Amino acid sequence: FFRPVHSRTAKMDEELKNKYPDVKTLESPVVLNGEVVRGFGRGSKVLGIPTANLPQEALDQLPKDFGTGIYFGWATVDDKGPFKMVTSVGYNPYFKNESKTVEPHLLHEFPDDFYGSQIRVAITSFLRPEWNFDSLEALIDCIKMDIVYANKALDIQPEGQALLQ
């Protein structure tokens, strides 16, 4: 399911490489499609990190053995983009979710919400497993580091953009 991270990631900052020792590029990208739906209302309001949630049916598009965790790759919204993205696939242990979700955060500033838009996500790399946190602040800090890592990694893996064009 995974292959070693491309050698170009050697350009990554040493601190980031040490924080994310489990990063792996997927052997084949996993592409999900769906309408952007309202989630739990925590992304923008609680975390300050908006997400473009996929509907529960989108989980059926994941390979059967696709593990939970934090991933990154590319996304389009209504055929615009592609935009860099980092996504949670799982149960969000800090919030004790009972159902599995896919919650992409796009690394692009949008002027408005885009609920009801069609999103297409190409997951190209595994970043880290799901972790629980002692505080909301620790969770937010970690998500911000996830975003920094994904942003830098996608700068040196631009070929993933072609998956959505």
Side-chain angles (χ1 to χ4, degrees), residues 40-108:
F40 298 105
R42 298 185 293 238
S44 293
K45 294 177 184 81
V46 176
L47 302 172
I49 302 165
T51 56
N53 301 299
L54 284 139
Q56 284 299 123
E57 303 83 61
L59 292 168
D60 296 338
Q61 299 170 42
L62 290 171
K64 297 282 185 246
D65 58 348
F66 197 82
T68 62
I70 309 305
Y71 294 83
F72 59 91
W74 300 91
T76 59
V77 177
D78 290 336
D79 295 324
K80 292 178 183 68
F83 307 106
K84 297 174 184 178
M85 70 88 199
V86 60
T87 188
S88 167
V89 177
Y91 298 93
N92 303 317
Y94 180 81
F95 294 108
K96 299 175 177 53
N97 288 5
E98 292 184 13
S99 59
K100 191 175 187 180
T101 59
V102 179
E103 302 179 63
H105 168 72
L106 280 60
L107 282 63
H108 179 80

